[in-house]
Amino acid sequence: MTNTAPVIEIRDLHKSYGALEVLKGVDITAPAGHVVSLIGSSGSGKSTLLRCANLLEDSQQGDVIFCGEPVKWKGSGAGRHPGDHAQMIRIRTNLSMVFQQFNLWAHMTILQNVMEAPVTVLKRDKAEVEAAARKYLDKVGIGDKCDAYPAQLSGGQQQRAAIARALCMEPKALLFDEPTSALDPELEQEVVKVIKDLAAEGRTMIIVTHDMRLAGDVSDHVVFLHQGKIEEEGPPETLFGQPKTERLRGFLSATVS
C-alpha cells in the first residue's frame, strides 16, 4: 500500500432503499490534497454517496477503497455490510463528517464537544487533545467560545464548532454534507471562509453543496449527479463555464436564477 493511493476511491457503487435505487453505479476518486464537490438536485444521491463513503450507510454493490485498502464486505445485495468491524471503525475515524445540522451535544460546552471523540474513541491524552481542540477552535475563529454551550452560539458559530470537532480527529479527509444550507446568508459566509481556508491548506475534502460559488472556488473536481448517476464531471472552470449536457445547463441556470 503506497501513499500515492487516493484517500477515497469509490467504484461502481449501487445503493437502494427497498425498491428505490438511489445510486446506480457511481465512481468517485478523491486524491490526497484534492477537493471534490458533489452537486445536483435534491434526491440525486449526493448525501447518500457521502454516507456510503463514510460507511454510515451500507451499499449493495461496488467498492469503497480507503488509502488503497478496500473495505471488506460480508454478504451480498441487501444483506451486504462491512465484514471487519475494526477496519470500519478505523476508516470512519479517518473520515470526519460535518453535517448540515451541526449535531453538537447540547449538554456539553463547545470545548467538550470538540474533545469528546478524540478522547473516548481514539483514547488520546486528554491534555494533548485539549490543546489541539483550543487550536482548532481558534483556527475556525471561535476560540473565545470554548466554555459556551451550543444553544448560546449562532448557527454559523455552531457549524464552525462542528468543523473544529471534525479537525480534532486529525482525519485523512473531511466530508461535508451541505455545510451551509441551514444557515442565513451572512452566517453562511463565515463557514464558507473556513472551508476555503482548509482547501488552501491542501486538505482532502468531499463537499456536497448547493452553493455553486463555493464549489467553483474550492474544488479541483466537480461531479454533477442526476438521478443516481454521474451526468457530467470535470474541473470547475469546464463544468461551470462550458457545461456539455442539457441537464447540467438547466440545473445551473435554475440555481443561479
mmCIF file with all atom_site columns, all heavy atoms in Angstrom, residues 159-182:
data_model
loop_
_atom_site.group_PDB
_atom_site.id
_atom_site.type_symbol
_atom_site.label_atom_id
_atom_site.label_alt_id
_atom_site.label_comp_id
_atom_site.label_asym_id
_atom_site.label_entity_id
_atom_site.label_seq_id
_atom_site.pdbx_PDB_ins_code
_atom_site.Cartn_x
_atom_site.Cartn_y
_atom_site.Cartn_z
_atom_site.occupancy
_atom_site.B_iso_or_equiv
_atom_site.pdbx_formal_charge
_atom_site.auth_seq_id
_atom_site.auth_comp_id
_atom_site.auth_asym_id
_atom_site.auth_atom_id
_atom_site.pdbx_PDB_model_num
ATOM 1   N N   . GLN A 1 159 ? -21.726 25.670 13.399 1.00 0.00 ? 159 GLN A N   1
ATOM 2   C CA  . GLN A 1 159 ? -21.162 24.895 12.298 1.00 0.00 ? 159 GLN A CA  1
ATOM 3   C C   . GLN A 1 159 ? -19.637 24.973 12.314 1.00 0.00 ? 159 GLN A C   1
ATOM 4   O O   . GLN A 1 159 ? -18.957 23.982 12.018 1.00 0.00 ? 159 GLN A O   1
ATOM 5   C CB  . GLN A 1 159 ? -21.734 25.382 10.953 1.00 0.00 ? 159 GLN A CB  1
ATOM 6   C CG  . GLN A 1 159 ? -21.390 24.510 9.755  1.00 0.00 ? 159 GLN A CG  1
ATOM 7   C CD  . GLN A 1 159 ? -21.877 23.074 9.894  1.00 0.00 ? 159 GLN A CD  1
ATOM 8   O OE1 . GLN A 1 159 ? -21.403 22.316 10.751 1.00 0.00 ? 159 GLN A OE1 1
ATOM 9   N NE2 . GLN A 1 159 ? -22.820 22.688 9.059  1.00 0.00 ? 159 GLN A NE2 1
ATOM 10  N N   . ARG A 1 160 ? -19.094 26.117 12.704 1.00 0.00 ? 160 ARG A N   1
ATOM 11  C CA  . ARG A 1 160 ? -17.639 26.214 12.807 1.00 0.00 ? 160 ARG A CA  1
ATOM 12  C C   . ARG A 1 160 ? -17.115 25.343 13.949 1.00 0.00 ? 160 ARG A C   1
ATOM 13  O O   . ARG A 1 160 ? -16.037 24.745 13.849 1.00 0.00 ? 160 ARG A O   1
ATOM 14  C CB  . ARG A 1 160 ? -17.216 27.678 12.962 1.00 0.00 ? 160 ARG A CB  1
ATOM 15  C CG  . ARG A 1 160 ? -17.335 28.434 11.633 1.00 0.00 ? 160 ARG A CG  1
ATOM 16  C CD  . ARG A 1 160 ? -16.818 29.843 11.729 1.00 0.00 ? 160 ARG A CD  1
ATOM 17  N NE  . ARG A 1 160 ? -17.754 30.734 12.393 1.00 0.00 ? 160 ARG A NE  1
ATOM 18  C CZ  . ARG A 1 160 ? -17.391 31.870 12.999 1.00 0.00 ? 160 ARG A CZ  1
ATOM 19  N NH1 . ARG A 1 160 ? -16.120 32.229 13.044 1.00 0.00 ? 160 ARG A NH1 1
ATOM 20  N NH2 . ARG A 1 160 ? -18.293 32.634 13.565 1.00 0.00 ? 160 ARG A NH2 1
ATOM 21  N N   . ALA A 1 161 ? -17.891 25.234 15.032 1.00 0.00 ? 161 ALA A N   1
ATOM 22  C CA  . ALA A 1 161 ? -17.519 24.317 16.120 1.00 0.00 ? 161 ALA A CA  1
ATOM 23  C C   . ALA A 1 161 ? -17.524 22.874 15.618 1.00 0.00 ? 161 ALA A C   1
ATOM 24  O O   . ALA A 1 161 ? -16.637 22.075 15.963 1.00 0.00 ? 161 ALA A O   1
ATOM 25  C CB  . ALA A 1 161 ? -18.486 24.467 17.297 1.00 0.00 ? 161 ALA A CB  1
ATOM 26  N N   . ALA A 1 162 ? -18.514 22.546 14.787 1.00 0.00 ? 162 ALA A N   1
ATOM 27  C CA  . ALA A 1 162 ? -18.592 21.191 14.227 1.00 0.00 ? 162 ALA A CA  1
ATOM 28  C C   . ALA A 1 162 ? -17.378 20.907 13.322 1.00 0.00 ? 162 ALA A C   1
ATOM 29  O O   . ALA A 1 162 ? -16.857 19.784 13.295 1.00 0.00 ? 162 ALA A O   1
ATOM 30  C CB  . ALA A 1 162 ? -19.897 21.015 13.445 1.00 0.00 ? 162 ALA A CB  1
ATOM 31  N N   . ILE A 1 163 ? -16.919 21.930 12.609 1.00 0.00 ? 163 ILE A N   1
ATOM 32  C CA  . ILE A 1 163 ? -15.725 21.763 11.760 1.00 0.00 ? 163 ILE A CA  1
ATOM 33  C C   . ILE A 1 163 ? -14.486 21.561 12.632 1.00 0.00 ? 163 ILE A C   1
ATOM 34  O O   . ILE A 1 163 ? -13.647 20.695 12.363 1.00 0.00 ? 163 ILE A O   1
ATOM 35  C CB  . ILE A 1 163 ? -15.557 22.961 10.796 1.00 0.00 ? 163 ILE A CB  1
ATOM 36  C CG1 . ILE A 1 163 ? -16.713 22.999 9.780  1.00 0.00 ? 163 ILE A CG1 1
ATOM 37  C CG2 . ILE A 1 163 ? -14.216 22.888 10.065 1.00 0.00 ? 163 ILE A CG2 1
ATOM 38  C CD1 . ILE A 1 163 ? -16.769 24.266 8.923  1.00 0.00 ? 163 ILE A CD1 1
ATOM 39  N N   . ALA A 1 164 ? -14.384 22.343 13.723 1.00 0.00 ? 164 ALA A N   1
ATOM 40  C CA  . ALA A 1 164 ? -13.254 22.165 14.655 1.00 0.00 ? 164 ALA A CA  1
ATOM 41  C C   . ALA A 1 164 ? -13.267 20.750 15.241 1.00 0.00 ? 164 ALA A C   1
ATOM 42  O O   . ALA A 1 164 ? -12.228 20.111 15.392 1.00 0.00 ? 164 ALA A O   1
ATOM 43  C CB  . ALA A 1 164 ? -13.329 23.205 15.776 1.00 0.00 ? 164 ALA A CB  1
ATOM 44  N N   . ARG A 1 165 ? -14.458 20.260 15.570 1.00 0.00 ? 165 ARG A N   1
ATOM 45  C CA  . ARG A 1 165 ? -14.592 18.906 16.099 1.00 0.00 ? 165 ARG A CA  1
ATOM 46  C C   . ARG A 1 165 ? -14.099 17.869 15.075 1.00 0.00 ? 165 ARG A C   1
ATOM 47  O O   . ARG A 1 165 ? -13.395 16.924 15.420 1.00 0.00 ? 165 ARG A O   1
ATOM 48  C CB  . ARG A 1 165 ? -16.064 18.637 16.459 1.00 0.00 ? 165 ARG A CB  1
ATOM 49  C CG  . ARG A 1 165 ? -16.315 17.245 17.005 1.00 0.00 ? 165 ARG A CG  1
ATOM 50  C CD  . ARG A 1 165 ? -17.774 17.022 17.335 1.00 0.00 ? 165 ARG A CD  1
ATOM 51  N NE  . ARG A 1 165 ? -18.628 17.187 16.170 1.00 0.00 ? 165 ARG A NE  1
ATOM 52  C CZ  . ARG A 1 165 ? -19.959 17.123 16.210 1.00 0.00 ? 165 ARG A CZ  1
ATOM 53  N NH1 . ARG A 1 165 ? -20.581 16.911 17.354 1.00 0.00 ? 165 ARG A NH1 1
ATOM 54  N NH2 . ARG A 1 165 ? -20.663 17.274 15.117 1.00 0.00 ? 165 ARG A NH2 1
ATOM 55  N N   . ALA A 1 166 ? -14.464 18.062 13.816 1.00 0.00 ? 166 ALA A N   1
ATOM 56  C CA  . ALA A 1 166 ? -14.005 17.152 12.764 1.00 0.00 ? 166 ALA A CA  1
ATOM 57  C C   . ALA A 1 166 ? -12.481 17.204 12.632 1.00 0.00 ? 166 ALA A C   1
ATOM 58  O O   . ALA A 1 166 ? -11.815 16.178 12.507 1.00 0.00 ? 166 ALA A O   1
ATOM 59  C CB  . ALA A 1 166 ? -14.672 17.520 11.438 1.00 0.00 ? 166 ALA A CB  1
ATOM 60  N N   . LEU A 1 167 ? -11.916 18.409 12.671 1.00 0.00 ? 167 LEU A N   1
ATOM 61  C CA  . LEU A 1 167 ? -10.464 18.580 12.535 1.00 0.00 ? 167 LEU A CA  1
ATOM 62  C C   . LEU A 1 167 ? -9.703  17.950 13.695 1.00 0.00 ? 167 LEU A C   1
ATOM 63  O O   . LEU A 1 167 ? -8.595  17.440 13.521 1.00 0.00 ? 167 LEU A O   1
ATOM 64  C CB  . LEU A 1 167 ? -10.111 20.063 12.444 1.00 0.00 ? 167 LEU A CB  1
ATOM 65  C CG  . LEU A 1 167 ? -10.499 20.785 11.149 1.00 0.00 ? 167 LEU A CG  1
ATOM 66  C CD1 . LEU A 1 167 ? -10.374 22.289 11.323 1.00 0.00 ? 167 LEU A CD1 1
ATOM 67  C CD2 . LEU A 1 167 ? -9.645  20.306 9.989  1.00 0.00 ? 167 LEU A CD2 1
ATOM 68  N N   . CYS A 1 168 ? -10.301 17.975 14.884 1.00 0.00 ? 168 CYS A N   1
ATOM 69  C CA  . CYS A 1 168 ? -9.612  17.488 16.080 1.00 0.00 ? 168 CYS A CA  1
ATOM 70  C C   . CYS A 1 168 ? -9.388  15.970 16.032 1.00 0.00 ? 168 CYS A C   1
ATOM 71  O O   . CYS A 1 168 ? -8.548  15.434 16.747 1.00 0.00 ? 168 CYS A O   1
ATOM 72  C CB  . CYS A 1 168 ? -10.395 17.887 17.324 1.00 0.00 ? 168 CYS A CB  1
ATOM 73  S SG  . CYS A 1 168 ? -9.368  17.955 18.811 1.00 0.00 ? 168 CYS A SG  1
ATOM 74  N N   . MET A 1 169 ? -10.110 15.286 15.141 1.00 0.00 ? 169 MET A N   1
ATOM 75  C CA  . MET A 1 169 ? -9.885  13.849 14.943 1.00 0.00 ? 169 MET A CA  1
ATOM 76  C C   . MET A 1 169 ? -8.629  13.602 14.095 1.00 0.00 ? 169 MET A C   1
ATOM 77  O O   . MET A 1 169 ? -8.232  12.462 13.898 1.00 0.00 ? 169 MET A O   1
ATOM 78  C CB  . MET A 1 169 ? -11.104 13.206 14.265 1.00 0.00 ? 169 MET A CB  1
ATOM 79  C CG  . MET A 1 169 ? -12.336 13.138 15.141 1.00 0.00 ? 169 MET A CG  1
ATOM 80  S SD  . MET A 1 169 ? -12.159 11.986 16.526 1.00 0.00 ? 169 MET A SD  1
ATOM 81  C CE  . MET A 1 169 ? -12.392 10.405 15.694 1.00 0.00 ? 169 MET A CE  1
ATOM 82  N N   . GLU A 1 170 ? -8.032  14.687 13.573 1.00 0.00 ? 170 GLU A N   1
ATOM 83  C CA  . GLU A 1 170 ? -6.853  14.603 12.678 1.00 0.00 ? 170 GLU A CA  1
ATOM 84  C C   . GLU A 1 170 ? -7.124  13.616 11.531 1.00 0.00 ? 170 GLU A C   1
ATOM 85  O O   . GLU A 1 170 ? -6.356  12.688 11.283 1.00 0.00 ? 170 GLU A O   1
ATOM 86  C CB  . GLU A 1 170 ? -5.599  14.154 13.456 1.00 0.00 ? 170 GLU A CB  1
ATOM 87  C CG  . GLU A 1 170 ? -5.300  14.961 14.713 1.00 0.00 ? 170 GLU A CG  1
ATOM 88  C CD  . GLU A 1 170 ? -4.738  16.342 14.442 1.00 0.00 ? 170 GLU A CD  1
ATOM 89  O OE1 . GLU A 1 170 ? -4.462  16.668 13.277 1.00 0.00 ? 170 GLU A OE1 1
ATOM 90  O OE2 . GLU A 1 170 ? -4.580  17.106 15.412 1.00 0.00 ? 170 GLU A OE2 1
ATOM 91  N N   . PRO A 1 171 ? -8.237  13.810 10.809 1.00 0.00 ? 171 PRO A N   1
ATOM 92  C CA  . PRO A 1 171 ? -8.632  12.828 9.799  1.00 0.00 ? 171 PRO A CA  1
ATOM 93  C C   . PRO A 1 171 ? -7.798  12.923 8.529  1.00 0.00 ? 171 PRO A C   1
ATOM 94  O O   . PRO A 1 171 ? -7.127  13.924 8.278  1.00 0.00 ? 171 PRO A O   1
ATOM 95  C CB  . PRO A 1 171 ? -10.079 13.217 9.503  1.00 0.00 ? 171 PRO A CB  1
ATOM 96  C CG  . PRO A 1 171 ? -10.076 14.709 9.685  1.00 0.00 ? 171 PRO A CG  1
ATOM 97  C CD  . PRO A 1 171 ? -9.136  14.976 10.831 1.00 0.00 ? 171 PRO A CD  1
ATOM 98  N N   . LYS A 1 172 ? -7.887  11.872 7.716  1.00 0.00 ? 172 LYS A N   1
ATOM 99  C CA  . LYS A 1 172 ? -7.230  11.882 6.393  1.00 0.00 ? 172 LYS A CA  1
ATOM 100 C C   . LYS A 1 172 ? -8.057  12.711 5.408  1.00 0.00 ? 172 LYS A C   1
ATOM 101 O O   . LYS A 1 172 ? -7.540  13.208 4.416  1.00 0.00 ? 172 LYS A O   1
ATOM 102 C CB  . LYS A 1 172 ? -7.099  10.448 5.865  1.00 0.00 ? 172 LYS A CB  1
ATOM 103 C CG  . LYS A 1 172 ? -6.148  9.583  6.699  1.00 0.00 ? 172 LYS A CG  1
ATOM 104 C CD  . LYS A 1 172 ? -4.803  9.492  5.995  1.00 0.00 ? 172 LYS A CD  1
ATOM 105 C CE  . LYS A 1 172 ? -3.709  8.715  6.683  1.00 0.00 ? 172 LYS A CE  1
ATOM 106 N NZ  . LYS A 1 172 ? -4.048  7.656  7.556  1.00 0.00 ? 172 LYS A NZ  1
ATOM 107 N N   . ALA A 1 173 ? -9.367  12.787 5.645  1.00 0.00 ? 173 ALA A N   1
ATOM 108 C CA  . ALA A 1 173 ? -10.240 13.577 4.765  1.00 0.00 ? 173 ALA A CA  1
ATOM 109 C C   . ALA A 1 173 ? -11.426 14.096 5.560  1.00 0.00 ? 173 ALA A C   1
ATOM 110 O O   . ALA A 1 173 ? -11.832 13.510 6.561  1.00 0.00 ? 173 ALA A O   1
ATOM 111 C CB  . ALA A 1 173 ? -10.736 12.738 3.585  1.00 0.00 ? 173 ALA A CB  1
ATOM 112 N N   . LEU A 1 174 ? -11.963 15.227 5.082  1.00 0.00 ? 174 LEU A N   1
ATOM 113 C CA  . LEU A 1 174 ? -13.170 15.821 5.664  1.00 0.00 ? 174 LEU A CA  1
ATOM 114 C C   . LEU A 1 174 ? -14.314 15.653 4.673  1.00 0.00 ? 174 LEU A C   1
ATOM 115 O O   . LEU A 1 174 ? -14.143 15.903 3.474  1.00 0.00 ? 174 LEU A O   1
ATOM 116 C CB  . LEU A 1 174 ? -12.950 17.312 5.928  1.00 0.00 ? 174 LEU A CB  1
ATOM 117 C CG  . LEU A 1 174 ? -11.969 17.679 7.042  1.00 0.00 ? 174 LEU A CG  1
ATOM 118 C CD1 . LEU A 1 174 ? -11.509 19.124 6.870  1.00 0.00 ? 174 LEU A CD1 1
ATOM 119 C CD2 . LEU A 1 174 ? -12.607 17.498 8.410  1.00 0.00 ? 174 LEU A CD2 1
ATOM 120 N N   . LEU A 1 175 ? -15.460 15.242 5.181  1.00 0.00 ? 175 LEU A N   1
ATOM 121 C CA  . LEU A 1 175 ? -16.653 15.080 4.349  1.00 0.00 ? 175 LEU A CA  1
ATOM 122 C C   . LEU A 1 175 ? -17.692 16.102 4.822  1.00 0.00 ? 175 LEU A C   1
ATOM 123 O O   . LEU A 1 175 ? -18.058 16.125 5.998  1.00 0.00 ? 175 LEU A O   1
ATOM 124 C CB  . LEU A 1 175 ? -17.221 13.668 4.489  1.00 0.00 ? 175 LEU A CB  1
ATOM 125 C CG  . LEU A 1 175 ? -16.241 12.501 4.288  1.00 0.00 ? 175 LEU A CG  1
ATOM 126 C CD1 . LEU A 1 175 ? -16.954 11.171 4.496  1.00 0.00 ? 175 LEU A CD1 1
ATOM 127 C CD2 . LEU A 1 175 ? -15.597 12.544 2.907  1.00 0.00 ? 175 LEU A CD2 1
ATOM 128 N N   . PHE A 1 176 ? -18.132 16.950 3.923  1.00 0.00 ? 176 PHE A N   1
ATOM 129 C CA  . PHE A 1 176 ? -19.107 17.986 4.277  1.00 0.00 ? 176 PHE A CA  1
ATOM 130 C C   . PHE A 1 176 ? -20.438 17.687 3.591  1.00 0.00 ? 176 PHE A C   1
ATOM 131 O O   . PHE A 1 176 ? -20.481 17.574 2.369  1.00 0.00 ? 176 PHE A O   1
ATOM 132 C CB  . PHE A 1 176 ? -18.627 19.363 3.794  1.00 0.00 ? 176 PHE A CB  1
ATOM 133 C CG  . PHE A 1 176 ? -17.471 19.920 4.567  1.00 0.00 ? 176 PHE A CG  1
ATOM 134 C CD1 . PHE A 1 176 ? -16.164 19.684 4.163  1.00 0.00 ? 176 PHE A CD1 1
ATOM 135 C CD2 . PHE A 1 176 ? -17.676 20.710 5.693  1.00 0.00 ? 176 PHE A CD2 1
ATOM 136 C CE1 . PHE A 1 176 ? -15.088 20.215 4.863  1.00 0.00 ? 176 PHE A CE1 1
ATOM 137 C CE2 . PHE A 1 176 ? -16.603 21.248 6.404  1.00 0.00 ? 176 PHE A CE2 1
ATOM 138 C CZ  . PHE A 1 176 ? -15.312 20.999 5.998  1.00 0.00 ? 176 PHE A CZ  1
ATOM 139 N N   . ASP A 1 177 ? -21.512 17.583 4.379  1.00 0.00 ? 177 ASP A N   1
ATOM 140 C CA  . ASP A 1 177 ? -22.835 17.335 3.809  1.00 0.00 ? 177 ASP A CA  1
ATOM 141 C C   . ASP A 1 177 ? -23.668 18.609 3.921  1.00 0.00 ? 177 ASP A C   1
ATOM 142 O O   . ASP A 1 177 ? -24.221 18.906 4.973  1.00 0.00 ? 177 ASP A O   1
ATOM 143 C CB  . ASP A 1 177 ? -23.520 16.178 4.551  1.00 0.00 ? 177 ASP A CB  1
ATOM 144 C CG  . ASP A 1 177 ? -24.787 15.722 3.830  1.00 0.00 ? 177 ASP A CG  1
ATOM 145 O OD1 . ASP A 1 177 ? -25.049 16.227 2.723  1.00 0.00 ? 177 ASP A OD1 1
ATOM 146 O OD2 . ASP A 1 177 ? -25.521 14.874 4.384  1.00 0.00 ? 177 ASP A OD2 1
ATOM 147 N N   . GLU A 1 178 ? -23.728 19.375 2.833  1.00 0.00 ? 178 GLU A N   1
ATOM 148 C CA  . GLU A 1 178 ? -24.483 20.635 2.793  1.00 0.00 ? 178 GLU A CA  1
ATOM 149 C C   . GLU A 1 178 ? -24.144 21.510 4.015  1.00 0.00 ? 178 GLU A C   1
ATOM 150 O O   . GLU A 1 178 ? -25.028 21.864 4.806  1.00 0.00 ? 178 GLU A O   1
ATOM 151 C CB  . GLU A 1 178 ? -25.996 20.336 2.780  1.00 0.00 ? 178 GLU A CB  1
ATOM 152 C CG  . GLU A 1 178 ? -26.483 19.607 1.542  1.00 0.00 ? 178 GLU A CG  1
ATOM 153 C CD  . GLU A 1 178 ? -26.730 20.516 0.350  1.00 0.00 ? 178 GLU A CD  1
ATOM 154 O OE1 . GLU A 1 178 ? -26.312 21.688 0.386  1.00 0.00 ? 178 GLU A OE1 1
ATOM 155 O OE2 . GLU A 1 178 ? -27.317 20.050 -0.630 1.00 0.00 ? 178 GLU A OE2 1
ATOM 156 N N   . PRO A 1 179 ? -22.885 21.867 4.198  1.00 0.00 ? 179 PRO A N   1
ATOM 157 C CA  . PRO A 1 179 ? -22.475 22.527 5.445  1.00 0.00 ? 179 PRO A CA  1
ATOM 158 C C   . PRO A 1 179 ? -23.076 23.910 5.660  1.00 0.00 ? 179 PRO A C   1
ATOM 159 O O   . PRO A 1 179 ? -23.068 24.414 6.776  1.00 0.00 ? 179 PRO A O   1
ATOM 160 C CB  . PRO A 1 179 ? -20.952 22.621 5.316  1.00 0.00 ? 179 PRO A CB  1
ATOM 161 C CG  . PRO A 1 179 ? -20.691 22.591 3.844  1.00 0.00 ? 179 PRO A CG  1
ATOM 162 C CD  . PRO A 1 179 ? -21.749 21.697 3.273  1.00 0.00 ? 179 PRO A CD  1
ATOM 163 N N   . THR A 1 180 ? -23.603 24.528 4.598  1.00 0.00 ? 180 THR A N   1
ATOM 164 C CA  . THR A 1 180 ? -24.108 25.897 4.761  1.00 0.00 ? 180 THR A CA  1
ATOM 165 C C   . THR A 1 180 ? -25.615 26.007 4.543  1.00 0.00 ? 180 THR A C   1
ATOM 166 O O   . THR A 1 180 ? -26.173 27.087 4.689  1.00 0.00 ? 180 THR A O   1
ATOM 167 C CB  . THR A 1 180 ? -23.410 26.851 3.767  1.00 0.00 ? 180 THR A CB  1
ATOM 168 O OG1 . THR A 1 180 ? -23.636 26.365 2.435  1.00 0.00 ? 180 THR A OG1 1
ATOM 169 C CG2 . THR A 1 180 ? -21.921 26.924 4.024  1.00 0.00 ? 180 THR A CG2 1
ATOM 170 N N   . SER A 1 181 ? -26.304 24.911 4.232  1.00 0.00 ? 181 SER A N   1
ATOM 171 C CA  . SER A 1 181 ? -27.699 25.060 3.787  1.00 0.00 ? 181 SER A CA  1
ATOM 172 C C   . SER A 1 181 ? -28.665 25.386 4.917  1.00 0.00 ? 181 SER A C   1
ATOM 173 O O   . SER A 1 181 ? -29.769 25.850 4.672  1.00 0.00 ? 181 SER A O   1
ATOM 174 C CB  . SER A 1 181 ? -28.161 23.813 3.040  1.00 0.00 ? 181 SER A CB  1
ATOM 175 O OG  . SER A 1 181 ? -28.165 22.718 3.906  1.00 0.00 ? 181 SER A OG  1
ATOM 176 N N   . ALA A 1 182 ? -28.267 25.171 6.189  1.00 0.00 ? 182 ALA A N   1
ATOM 177 C CA  . ALA A 1 182 ? -29.168 25.503 7.299  1.00 0.00 ? 182 ALA A CA  1
ATOM 178 C C   . ALA A 1 182 ? -28.934 26.924 7.807  1.00 0.00 ? 182 ALA A C   1
ATOM 179 O O   . ALA A 1 182 ? -29.538 27.326 8.796  1.00 0.00 ? 182 ALA A O   1
ATOM 180 C CB  . ALA A 1 182 ? -28.972 24.503 8.434  1.00 0.00 ? 182 ALA A CB  1
#
